[in-house]
Every structure is written in C-alpha cells, then in structure tokens.
Amino acid sequence: MPTRPSVIEEPGAGHPFPPDLHDARHLWLKAGLLLAWAAVSFGACYFARDLQFMVVGGWPLGYWIASQGAVLVFIGIVAIYCAAMNHFERQDANAAAGVDTPPSTPDAPGPGAPGKPHV
C-alpha cells in the first residue's frame, strides 16, 4: 500500500501561520475591524429607517448606507488592514534586524543640510 508523503516532503505545500501573526497587536486590529464591520453591516442597516431624517445629496441617508456606504466602509476596512499589517511587518523586520529607529528631531540638521558642512 503506497504511503502519502508528509507535509514537509510535499512540494508547494502550505505552512500554518507563524505564531507571531496572532500577537496582541494583530488580535486588537482584527477585533476592531471586525467590530466596525459588524456595526456597519448590522447596526446601520438595522437602524436605516431611523436615519431617514438625514438627507444627503437629495436622498435619505438610509439609501446611501444601503446602496454605497457599506461597500465603501468594507473597502476602507481592507485598506486599513493592509496598511496596518505593512506597518506591523516593517516594525517586526526592524526589530529582527536590530535597527532602533530614533525619533526624528526637526532641529537637528542631517548631512548636507544648509548651514552645516558634511564631514
């Protein structure tokens, strides 16, 4: 009977997520974005009739939320998640490389700044 090769031996096999993808920063980000998604999906649509008194562009606010607003918020959530994950990955890469990013001071001129010769 032929045996199936293990996951390690399979070419192109996926690997489980590394544990650092589940640290507190990522979990708080995911929880916050999931809360925003739930609020827009269920909260705004549930109260759409109560929002009819607000008129935007000649149409009731409930119409805008139902037709376009929720979709735009979902796209915004994805964009925020991408930007935050890029930021987290840069922080982790800098920490792994041992690079300590000092805070920039606007008073300290850098190399080539006017008034200070570069040595």
Side-chain angles (χ1 to χ4, degrees), residues 6 18 70:
S6 68

Side-chain angles (χ1 to χ4, degrees), residues 58-109:
W59 293 87
L61 184 62
Y63 168 78
W64 287 107
I65 290 173
S67 66
Q68 296 162 347
V71 175
L72 293 176
V73 169
F74 298 150
I75 292 171
I77 286 172
V78 171
I80 290 169
Y81 183 78
C82 289
M85 291 304 290
N86 283 336
H87 177 72
F88 291 156
E89 287 177 0
R90 273 189 244 111
Q91 281 182 337
D92 293 342
N94 287 341
V99 176
D100 190 22
T101 56
S104 62
T105 56
D107 297 4

Side-chain angles (χ1 to χ4, degrees), residues 18-36:
D20 62 341
L21 286 179
H22 301 290
D23 68 358
R25 298 177 301 168
H26 298 105
L27 292 177
W28 280 109
L29 173 68
K30 291 175 188 177
L33 294 177
L34 185 62
L35 183 64

Side-chain angles (χ1 to χ4, degrees), residues 33-55:
L33 294 177
L34 185 62
L35 183 64
W37 169 81
V40 170
S41 293
F42 303 112
C45 292
Y46 183 76
F47 294 110
R49 287 187 183 165
D50 297 335
L51 298 173
Q52 296 298 332
F53 71 91
M54 298 176 80
V55 177

Side-chain angles (χ1 to χ4, degrees), residues 106-119:
D107 297 4
K116 280 257 184 163
H118 185 279
V119 181

